[in-house]
Amino acid sequence: MKMADNLILCATPLQVLIAERIIEKHPGESFSLIMITYDKNEKYLYYFNRLKKKCKTAKLLNINGKWLTLFYVIYFRLSMLDKKAKRVFLSNIDNIIFQTILSMLDKTEVYTFDDGMANIDKTSFLYRPEIRSKIKKYLKINIDIDKIKKRSIKHYTIYNIQYTNNIIPDVKQINLFSTVHMDNKRNDEKSTNITIVLGQPIFEFIKDSNENKNKLNMDITKKLINYSQATLYFPHPRKKYHIQNIDYIETNLIFEDFIYKEVKNNPHITYDIYTFFSSAGLNIITLPNVRVHFCQSSQLPKQWDGVYDLLKSMNIDIETID
């Protein structure tokens, strides 16, 4: 694969939004894109194609099993990659394919950017020692999370650097969205409220059957819907279940993009967003006419306690729904 001046590695639609802001900061320079998806759907394809238009070359890797992961690790380990990129920008520093690519670009400058709240939550996987996999041992891939952190020259973040630390000391804050001006709000228009529940795969990483995990997610989501009295539900891109008796918001946009456009186009509407601890809620908390309600329940796995501690440290109120 031929490289442009810079290479971007990303794996989620949110990372595409951040990558777009990074590209804007390097006018006149060319970019190549390698994007990974483990759950190929219309939303991921939309954001890949959107970023592809801003890149000289682009490749989407749909990883739907361990064997494909192994294939691409070997593929990049065998140097099937142009090494002329000056800089590489990446988010998923724990991803073995991205780590393999970095191991082959040993002379390229490394810059990191956010992978959601994991970057500012000190209990997340980004702050724990990485267990070296058998594949990495066999293929002699020595790069890991800590080595990427040390190699990163600068980290781009969407979070307020006054209140949060990140995975490396040298951090540059970027705005996810342009400033929204509400001057066009009409005085003769009656203000209205729209309440939306923001979905997330809360039980995705517990040890249980997919059927039970889906049931747990549905039960706790229904609890949040009843508490908020919401009429609209915005599903997570990796949705695995369907909630009955509530209207779904169907769009190719991720929530950050969707609510930003809604606020711009409907200045007379106030949006109440209910979520447990979705990073999307934190990402849009400063938008005008948006009120984000973070909620907690005793039914949540204890592994998420650190996220709530983080939110409280940022002076964000938590509502208990038990």
Side-chain angles (χ1 to χ4, degrees):
M1 181 178 177
K2 292 291 183 180
M3 287 293 111
D5 298 330
N6 306 290
L7 171 63
I8 283 187
L9 307 175
C10 60
T12 69
L14 173 62
Q15 292 168 25
V16 168
L17 290 186
I18 300 173
E20 288 176 336
R21 301 289 83 77
I22 291 173
I23 289 174
E24 290 172 0
K25 292 186 175 297
H26 295 83
E29 298 186 26
S30 60
F31 282 80
S32 291
L33 165 67
I34 298 176
M35 184 169 179
I36 288 177
T37 172
Y38 293 92
D39 189 6
K40 193 174 183 180
N41 57 47
E42 291 301 316
K43 196 161 287 196
Y44 278 80
L45 288 173
Y46 169 81
Y47 280 94
F48 168 74
N49 288 323
R50 182 165 131 177
L51 188 56
K52 179 182 178 180
K53 294 176 183 177
K54 300 181 180 182
C55 296
K56 183 178 180 181
T57 62
K59 189 175 183 66
L60 178 64
L61 310 181
N62 181 30
I63 312 297
N64 56 12
K66 292 182 180 179
W67 288 112
L68 263 180
T69 298
L70 178 60
F71 169 80
Y72 281 115
V73 168
I74 294 173
Y75 174 86
F76 289 115
R77 189 71 180 92
L78 293 176
S79 301
M80 302 301 181
L81 189 70
D82 182 4
K83 300 180 182 180
K84 294 180 181 178
K86 298 175 184 176
R87 310 178 194 91
V88 57
F89 300 84
L90 80 157
S91 177
N92 298 71
I93 63 175
D94 63 316
N95 186 282
I96 187 172
I97 296 175
F98 290 167
Q99 290 180 349
T100 304
I101 291 172
L102 281 188
S103 71
M104 305 309 297
L105 300 175
D106 55 332
K107 304 297 183 183
T108 304
E109 294 180 356
V110 173
Y111 295 80
T112 50
F113 59 94
D114 285 337
D115 183 21
M117 279 200 288
N119 282 86
I120 56 176
D121 174 14
K122 297 300 186 294
T123 66
S124 81
F125 63 94
L126 291 177
Y127 294 88
R128 295 194 291 266
E130 180 182 329
I131 300 174
R132 194 179 180 197
S133 68
K134 292 181 180 179
I135 296 176
K136 289 176 68 173
K137 289 179 182 178
Y138 181 75
L139 295 175
K140 298 181 180 180
I141 301 169
N142 296 318
I143 199 163
D144 58 19
I145 289 176
D146 286 336
K147 288 182 180 179
I148 295 175
K149 288 181 187 178
K150 292 176 182 177
R151 192 171 157 186
S152 178
I153 295 172
K154 188 183 297 292
H155 183 89
Y156 291 91
T157 184
I158 59 175
Y159 300 113
N160 194 322
I161 58 178
Q162 290 183 324
Y163 302 106
T164 59
N165 295 318
N166 219 297
I167 57 172
I168 72 166
D170 196 347
V171 179
K172 183 175 181 61
Q173 188 173 345
I174 56 177
N175 293 323
L176 199 57
F177 307 110
S178 302
T179 303
V180 179
H181 297 288
M182 308 304 290
D183 306 38
N184 58 341
K185 183 172 181 178
R186 291 171 52 187
N187 294 327
D188 60 338
E189 227 171 353
K190 185 178 179 181
S191 180
T192 58
N193 285 69
I194 291 179
T195 303
I196 303 171
V197 164
L198 185 54
Q200 60 187 126
I202 294 170
F203 296 91
E204 185 177 33
F205 301 111
I206 67 170
K207 292 181 179 180
D208 207 335
S209 69
N210 288 332
E211 183 180 359
N212 285 341
K213 287 192 284 188
N214 288 341
K215 185 180 184 305
L216 289 169
N217 265 311
M218 287 190 289
D219 289 345
I220 202 163
T221 302
K222 290 175 183 176
K223 189 174 186 177
L224 184 58
I225 290 170
N226 291 334
Y227 172 79
S228 64
Q229 297 185 330
T231 56
L232 293 172
Y233 177 69
F234 195 99
H236 190 272
R238 296 194 305 275
K239 60 181 179 181
K240 301 292 185 183
Y241 49 85
H242 186 82
I243 305 296
Q244 301 291 333
N245 302 319
I246 191 166
D247 291 329
Y248 270 56
I249 297 173
E250 301 290 350
T251 174
N252 280 335
L253 301 177
I254 59 172
F255 189 71
E256 290 90 339
D257 252 350
F258 167 79
I259 200 68
Y260 173 70
K261 292 180 185 300
E262 286 292 304
V263 168
K264 281 185 67 177
N265 295 332
N266 303 286
H268 60 288
I269 295 177
T270 297
Y271 295 88
D272 280 287
I273 312 303
Y274 283 80
T275 181
F276 285 104
F277 52 87
S278 173
S279 59
L282 185 60
N283 298 344
I284 54 96
I285 201 167
T286 59
L287 285 177
N289 287 6
V290 172
R291 298 184 297 217
V292 182
H293 305 259
F294 289 95
C295 301
Q296 192 169 18
S297 167
S298 60
Q299 294 178 339
L300 293 172
K302 291 295 183 183
Q303 70 187 86
W304 302 120
D305 287 353
V307 177
Y308 285 104
D309 290 339
L310 170 66
L311 293 172
K312 291 172 184 175
S313 72
M314 300 170 71
N315 296 319
I316 294 174
D317 293 330
I318 309 297
E319 300 177 30
T320 303
I321 67 172
D322 288 328

